[in-house]
Amino acid sequence: MGDDQRVRSGRAAWQRRARVTWAVVSVLTVESVIFGLAMLPASVLWAWHYRWTGLPVVLRYVVLAIAFVPTYMLFAIGLMVYSAAVTRLFGWRTHPALETHIADCEWPLLDWARYLVSIHVVRLFAGATFRSSPVWAMYMRLNGARVGRSVWVNSLSIMDHNLLDLGDRCVIGSDAHIAGHIVERGVLKTAPVHIGRGVTIGIGTVIGIGVRIGDHAQVGALSVVPKHSRLEAGRVYGGVPVRDISPSA
């Protein structure tokens, strides 16, 4: 290896470390601020609680205990709203049609990583409370997903929201895995996923990147839809990998 090549290699390694360091510091800082903002309602309640010196101690603690659920709900909703707003503001998104080596740690990959960290934090602290509710669909919409009317998402294993298109009245079963990314031989690849109107995705089913599912199709439980598959409208699919199992197939 010549001197020039060693210099270029060293410069590239330094730049890679600098990018990773900045990405880690920025996401930790942002998530700390978001978490703090979401905690404000509970913090205000606790501050008021310590000022209620004129009330009996038992009554004070009863009120505080009863207030736990509503303050937690406010915290979870705040976490979803603030996280979605910040990722949009900073442009932390999964870039469509991306192919990049993870080891290179380029900015599109680091944007994707910070986006997924934000989604994971919300999923951890708010997902169990609001999954399979209009509030969870609202969060996905705020976070970049195209979500139609009366969509029910009963899964926390859904990533890359900005690459997802969920049609009206589709139902995503428990623990279904839908993502706009895949890693193959150290290369991150991304592609949008389109799920049509009235589609039902069964429990534990895995949907690959670039998949398009036609309107009113059904995918059975524990199935695997390979990447870039096209499922016809109105048909029933199941298996690993999926195949058409419609009564008339």
Side-chain angles (χ1 to χ4, degrees), residues 128-200:
T129 302
F130 290 111
R131 63 186 288 178
S132 191
S133 77
V135 177
W136 193 246
M138 175 207 72
Y139 162 65
M140 291 182 59
R141 188 179 292 113
L142 290 175
N143 206 37
R146 288 159 293 283
V147 180
R149 295 169 295 179
S150 303
V151 171
W152 296 94
V153 180
N154 189 26
S155 175
L156 301 182
S157 299
I158 297 181
M159 311 300 286
D160 310 296
H161 295 163
N162 69 298
L163 295 186
L164 305 183
D165 188 348
L166 308 180
D168 296 343
R169 300 180 302 282
C170 72
V171 176
I172 310 298
S174 177
D175 298 321
H177 183 278
I178 304 174
H181 77 271
I182 191 173
V183 178
E184 295 179 333
R185 298 181 179 180
V187 177
L188 173 71
K189 300 178 180 180
T190 67
V193 176
H194 175 83
I195 297 176
R197 295 173 296 169
V199 170
T200 299

Side-chain angles (χ1 to χ4, degrees), residues 85-166:
V86 168
T87 56
R88 183 183 296 270
L89 176 66
F90 291 151
W92 294 353
R93 289 288 187 264
T94 302
H95 294 234
L98 180 67
E99 286 196 23
T100 182
H101 287 273
I102 291 179
D104 293 339
C105 294
E106 299 290 348
W107 282 118
L109 181 138
L110 296 175
D111 288 341
W112 164 78
R114 289 181 287 187
Y115 188 41
L116 262 61
V117 167
S118 298
I119 292 173
H120 178 68
V121 170
V122 173
R123 179 175 61 181
L124 185 62
F125 289 99
T129 302
F130 290 111
R131 63 186 288 178
S132 191
S133 77
V135 177
W136 193 246
M138 175 207 72
Y139 162 65
M140 291 182 59
R141 188 179 292 113
L142 290 175
N143 206 37
R146 288 159 293 283
V147 180
R149 295 169 295 179
S150 303
V151 171
W152 296 94
V153 180
N154 189 26
S155 175
L156 301 182
S157 299
I158 297 181
M159 311 300 286
D160 310 296
H161 295 163
N162 69 298
L163 295 186
L164 305 183
D165 188 348
L166 308 180

Side-chain angles (χ1 to χ4, degrees), residues 228-244:
H228 303 298
S229 297
R230 298 292 184 265
L231 305 188
E232 296 182 13
R235 310 297 292 178
V236 180
Y237 295 86
V240 182
V242 292
R243 59 185 180 85
D244 194 335

Side-chain angles (χ1 to χ4, degrees), residues 1 9 25 27 47 51 58-59 62 70 91 148 158 163 190 208 216 221 240:
M1 180 183 295
S9 179
V25 170
V27 76
R51 295 196 190 105
V58 173
L59 181 59
V62 167
I158 297 181
L163 295 186
T190 67
H216 306 292
V240 182

